[in-house]
Amino acid sequence: MYFIGVDIGGTGVQAGIVNESGNILFRKECTTNVNSGFESVMDDINTLVRELIKENNLNMDDIKSIGFGVPSFINKSGLVTCVNLGWHEVDFMQALKSRFPDVSVYAENDATVAALGEAKFGSMKDKNIAVMYTLGTGVGGGIIINGKAFTGANGMGSEIGHTVIGENYFNCNCGNNGCLETFCSATAIIKHAQKLIEEGKNSKILELAENNLQNINAKMVFDAYRENDVVALETINRFKSYLAKAMSGMINTLDPDVISIGGGVSRASDIILDGIEDLIRQQILYKKEDFAEIVCANLGADAGIIGAAFLN
Ligand SMILES: [Zn+2]
């Protein structure tokens, strides 16, 4: 028996046939034609999945289930609103069921799906209570309890990125001030480095960005950190202190077995993990007790396909 995982993104859709051991055996992708509208994107996804099955000499009967990761929240009624895709309260689950009537279909938020992949086969394998922070352009979250994605009573749980953890000098896209996303995303790192440089601090980062503030990316800030650049040190230390604050709150609330850090920012895993447990211990309530192991994700972008395949 095989499973299919589909990761729907703002620019492309990735699909994979996954075996019971979590290995992606075959892949296929297509672009997300956002401008063509919801029904058309769903038709493209239908074609993608059916071609993937056919090209690898399989039938729909060989597929146990198809799971989908979407870059948004899916409400209790299966409706999806996603600004990046131009979808407003579209009936996503119904659209899936009508296109795939003979197979079980499931869908979840993409960060939750990635967490499930990491919990089944990656950095959080064999842990009962697992939490993942996906640090990219924004901050996503996934909570996996006993191998199942946990999204709460109304499906809107695990939006860890919008936990308010302080006051910040700019507002979050959601309208609030102080969301974790505004302290710990790649965007937050870039903005803070730009701010310090604009205030007149000298930094190697500007050189890496060819003297254009707009060229700065998170990797440049981490690279400069390795060379003890003052702006990079201040920016990354601030990022880590807020990340530790968020994780301390998570430990006080949920006391997970493991917390994994994924997303593009986690490529600097050595810098992020260095000293993070001490920062967390200073802030949790029961300082002498064991607490969650802090790790970085290890499936990369495949977590989205693998996790989606194992939704049920
Ligand atoms: Zn927010």
Side-chain angles (χ1 to χ4, degrees):
M1 221 48 186
Y2 301 99
F3 304 82
I4 290 182
V6 183
D7 187 7
I8 304 173
T11 54
V13 181
Q14 318 252 355
I17 295 179
V18 185
N19 67 10
E20 290 183 14
S21 313
N23 298 310
I24 302 176
L25 304 177
F26 309 106
R27 302 168 185 261
K28 198 169 173 72
E29 57 186 305
C30 70
T31 49
T32 314
N33 292 311
V34 173
N35 294 330
S36 64
F38 171 64
E39 292 294 339
S40 172
V41 170
M42 296 307 289
D43 287 341
D44 290 347
I45 291 171
N46 186 17
T47 305
L48 175 74
V49 169
R50 288 179 188 280
E51 284 180 359
L52 175 68
I53 293 170
K54 200 173 160 202
E55 284 169 12
N56 294 293
N57 302 315
L58 294 170
N59 294 307
M60 200 54 95
D61 294 346
D62 300 312
I63 308 301
K64 188 159 185 221
S65 62
I66 310 177
F68 297 80
V70 289
S72 73
F73 153 66
I74 302 168
N75 83 359
K76 270 195 295 195
S77 313
L79 303 184
V80 166
T81 295
C82 178
V83 179
N84 289 344
L85 294 173
W87 297 355
H88 181 73
E89 293 192 346
V90 295
D91 197 341
F92 183 74
M93 290 313 294
Q94 184 51 41
L96 284 183
K97 284 175 189 153
S98 68
R99 284 168 179 81
F100 301 103
D102 305 321
V103 63
S104 303
V105 288
Y106 305 98
E108 272 300 344
N109 168 269
D110 55 3
T112 297
V113 161
L116 183 62
E118 290 287 338
K120 291 272 185 193
F121 301 104
S123 59
M124 310 195 290
K125 195 166 186 268
D126 300 328
K127 306 286 185 176
N128 293 331
I129 307 176
V131 176
M132 181 156 143
Y133 290 73
T134 300
L135 311 181
T137 312
V139 172
I143 299 172
I144 309 300
I145 297 180
N146 296 327
K148 296 267 182 199
F150 176 84
T151 57
N154 300 291
M156 58 187 169
S158 89
E159 285 290 0
I160 301 166
H162 297 280
T163 309
V164 173
I165 55 166
E167 252 181 67
N168 212 347
Y169 62 94
F170 65 99
N171 286 341
C172 184
N173 288 332
C174 76
N176 283 341
N177 184 277
C179 292
L180 173 62
E181 180 163 304
T182 65
F183 292 101
C184 293
S185 58
T187 313
I189 290 171
I190 294 163
K191 266 185 193 276
H192 195 257
Q194 287 169 334
K195 177 175 180 281
L196 295 181
I197 293 168
E198 274 173 351
E199 287 168 3
K201 289 202 169 144
N202 278 328
S203 171
K204 200 183 161 52
I205 298 169
L206 199 53
E207 205 179 292
L208 295 172
E210 293 171 336
N211 279 312
N212 183 347
L213 277 179
Q214 302 313 314
N215 288 344
I216 294 175
N217 61 39
K219 182 178 184 298
M220 292 172 189
V221 184
F222 281 105
D223 285 347
Y225 178 94
R226 293 181 203 283
E227 298 185 34
N228 292 319
D229 178 83
V230 174
V231 166
L233 286 172
E234 190 176 331
T235 299
I236 299 302
N237 288 337
R238 179 178 190 264
F239 154 81
K240 283 175 65 173
S241 94
Y242 278 102
L243 186 61
K245 188 171 185 170
M247 290 180 174
S248 308
M250 178 59 70
I251 290 166
N252 287 342
T253 308
L254 198 63
D255 184 20
D257 293 289
V258 62
I259 298 178
S260 182
I261 304 163
V265 173
S266 69
R267 282 185 213 122
S269 57
D270 56 330
I271 294 175
I272 297 173
L273 294 179
D274 181 34
I276 195 87
E277 292 191 355
D278 292 334
L279 290 172
I280 292 170
R281 189 173 294 284
Q282 288 161 20
Q283 300 180 67
I284 54 173
L285 185 59
Y286 299 109
K287 297 182 185 357
K288 288 185 179 166
E289 302 298 321
D290 290 341
F291 62 84
E293 188 185 350
I294 313 296
V295 299
C296 278
N298 57 19
L299 295 179
D302 286 352
I305 294 175
I306 298 169
F310 286 86
L311 282 171
N312 57 50

